[in-house]
Amino acid sequence: MIALLVARYRRLDLAEDALGDAIEAAARLWPTEGVPDSPAAWLNTVASRRVLDWLRSETMRRRREQLLGTETERRAAWAGMMADPGDLVEDDVLRLVLMCTHPVLPAQAASALALRLVLGISTYDVARLFLVPEATMAARITRAKKKIVSAGIAFEVPGADVLPARLDSVAQTAYLAFSAGYTPGSGTDLLRADLAAEAVRLVRVVLEQCPEEPVLKALLALMLLQHSRREARVGADGELVLLADQDRSQWHDEEIDEALALLSEVNSSVGLSVTAAAYVMQARIAAEYATAETMDDIQWGRVVGHYDLLLQILPSPAARLARAVAVSEASGPEAGLTALKGLSLPGSHRPAAVRAELLIRAGRITEARAAYAEAIGLCRNRAELEHLSKKAAGLTNH
């Protein structure tokens, strides 16, 4: 709906606010008046009327302030506001992502705006992806919107020619969207397969436009390897199923095969960008899991080596956390606990959850209880919270 409104009126700020007003009106009127035959058309009509009202109001104000030029200029400005310039990327989601990743915005602010506005990811989860407090992220997104409006930036529907210049921002946005779907930080679901699938689809669309881009091949390979396990990661009652307990017959072999083929193409490339090289290393790690027959067949020493290279290419707390898990599998829980020392992931429950598991394996039950209490206090995903609570309750017998 936002894509339709923006394509028509070229005003992201008005489109978002108008759709919000339309949804509020629907929530108020539909329970008493009934749901219309075409809810989407109803919302579109109400939102369009709101946008037109605001545009007329802006025009009248500018006339009063005598800021408009000649009648010809006014008509040209109005036509420019309404017209679709042609040579467009046909995919609505990609068009909106390209709009949000306008080069006038800092890269992180642009991706955050796209994640919140286009893909509907909560501000809390966007903040978690960028490792900042929720209030900080909310202010960052608000500033990005205001900058576009106050600077008078032509926030228009972009043509395909802008894609190469915004490729890294689009790739980062898709990667973060996939992460939010693969491991949601909040809400009731352990997995948002629809969001992860949309991120995969978005990368496929961009890859069609830029078929030789290593960063896209590596990113798609990484996503497919992770996404291929979606059904096996969630039990019949929505509970978490760890890698060691997953039914590998539920994995999507065709996606794994496609990913391995893409990865082999990128592995033969030279001169990869930092971003592409980081995706390649993450894909290699995922491939170790996807190609092993059982947990015992995973070459954990090799996985640790991949993480070491990844941390040299693009250090991050999330990669350090995952490396600690791999170290514990390769060298024991105490080695994993050592690898965790000094790690900080503000607001995330996962370091404490990993530490609790490793403490149990090391026989340090009292410390494990404290770690589980910390993880439970931080966790905002209901499915993971239930998993952690069951694990903590199981320690009462020790």
Side-chain angles (χ1 to χ4, degrees):
M1 192 69 66
I2 289 178
L4 288 172
L5 292 169
V6 172
R8 187 177 305 150
Y9 302 111
R10 291 196 182 185
R11 287 289 299 274
L12 176 61
D13 55 326
L14 299 187
E16 185 185 16
D17 289 345
L19 184 56
D21 283 0
I23 291 172
E24 185 276 331
R28 179 165 36 84
L29 298 174
W30 290 2
T32 56
E33 298 181 3
V35 178
D37 293 336
S38 178
W42 191 97
L43 289 170
N44 186 48
T45 299
V46 173
S48 292
R49 287 172 180 165
R50 292 292 290 149
V51 174
L52 289 172
D53 286 345
W54 287 328
L55 289 173
R56 292 188 187 104
S57 177
E58 283 187 4
T59 300
M60 292 303 296
R61 186 181 69 250
R62 288 169 181 166
R63 281 178 178 167
R64 286 194 299 269
E65 295 171 354
Q66 296 183 344
L67 293 178
L68 288 179
T70 65
E71 182 68 22
T72 301
E73 289 172 337
R74 285 200 297 272
R75 288 178 178 175
W78 183 262
M81 187 179 296
M82 302 291 288
D84 208 326
D87 186 30
L88 299 175
V89 176
E90 293 183 359
D91 186 82
D92 285 339
V93 173
L94 177 55
R95 289 164 69 166
L96 283 177
V97 170
L98 287 171
M99 291 167 60
C100 289
T101 53
H102 194 286
V104 74
L105 296 177
Q108 287 197 350
S111 286
L113 182 61
L115 292 168
R116 180 71 192 98
L117 179 65
V118 182
L119 295 161
I121 299 171
S122 71
T123 303
Y124 170 80
D125 281 352
V126 175
R128 184 182 65 88
L129 292 169
F130 285 94
L131 306 179
V132 298
E134 183 176 3
T136 300
M137 181 52 65
R140 188 175 295 175
I141 292 172
T142 299
R143 284 196 301 271
K145 294 178 186 176
K146 287 183 177 178
K147 184 169 186 178
I148 286 168
V149 175
S150 63
I153 297 165
F155 210 58
E156 60 188 16
V157 179
D161 58 326
V162 307
L163 183 55
R166 304 186 194 181
L167 189 61
D168 283 347
S169 292
V170 173
Q172 182 192 39
T173 300
Y175 173 74
L176 294 172
F178 181 83
S179 299
Y182 188 74
T183 54
S186 63
T188 60
D189 299 322
L190 182 67
L191 169 71
R192 287 188 59 190
D194 56 342
L195 177 57
E198 178 63 10
V200 171
R201 190 195 66 79
L202 180 60
V203 174
R204 287 193 186 280
V205 170
V206 181
L207 188 57
E208 289 176 2
Q209 302 280 335
C210 307
E212 300 304 320
E213 278 292 335
V215 68
L216 297 176
K217 291 182 180 180
L219 178 55
L220 183 56
L222 169 60
M223 287 180 169
L224 288 173
L225 287 165
Q226 302 281 35
H227 196 51
S228 67
R229 305 200 303 266
R230 54 192 174 276
E231 279 90 2
R233 293 180 61 231
V234 182
D237 297 323
E239 72 277 12
L240 172 65
V241 181
L242 298 175
L243 179 63
D245 303 318
Q246 290 177 13
D247 178 1
R248 295 179 179 235
S249 67
Q250 291 185 300
W251 292 6
H252 292 256
D253 291 336
E254 71 284 357
E255 294 177 3
I256 295 173
D257 291 341
E258 181 185 357
L260 294 176
L262 287 165
L263 188 56
S264 67
E265 293 178 21
V266 181
N267 279 338
S268 63
S269 301
V270 293
L272 294 178
S273 68
V274 170
T275 304
Y279 291 152
V280 166
M281 295 313 306
Q282 291 176 76
R284 286 179 183 171
I285 294 165
E288 294 285 351
Y289 305 146
T291 56
E293 294 291 334
T294 67
M295 279 288 289
D296 292 337
D297 295 322
I298 296 175
Q299 300 297 311
W300 288 106
R302 195 159 61 198
V303 172
V304 172
H306 290 330
Y307 274 117
D308 288 339
L309 285 174
L310 175 61
L311 288 167
Q312 290 179 34
I313 296 167
L314 194 64
S316 74
R320 277 196 60 198
L321 177 63
R323 179 187 179 275
V325 174
V327 167
S328 72
E329 295 290 347
S331 306
E334 292 292 352
L337 288 166
T338 299
L340 276 177
K341 287 182 179 178
L343 175 66
S344 176
L345 264 171
S348 174
H349 66 280
R350 293 197 169 97
V354 170
R355 188 166 64 252
E357 179 64 27
L358 297 184
L359 287 167
I360 292 173
R361 295 184 190 181
R364 295 157 61 177
I365 305 303
T366 300
E367 294 172 81
R369 289 195 187 100
Y372 269 129
E374 179 185 349
I376 288 168
L378 291 170
C379 186
R380 287 180 55 171
N381 180 280
R382 191 175 71 185
E384 288 193 68
L385 184 59
E386 290 175 358
H387 174 78
L388 293 171
S389 298
K390 287 179 182 178
K391 296 284 287 188
L395 294 179
T396 57
N397 297 325
H398 289 75

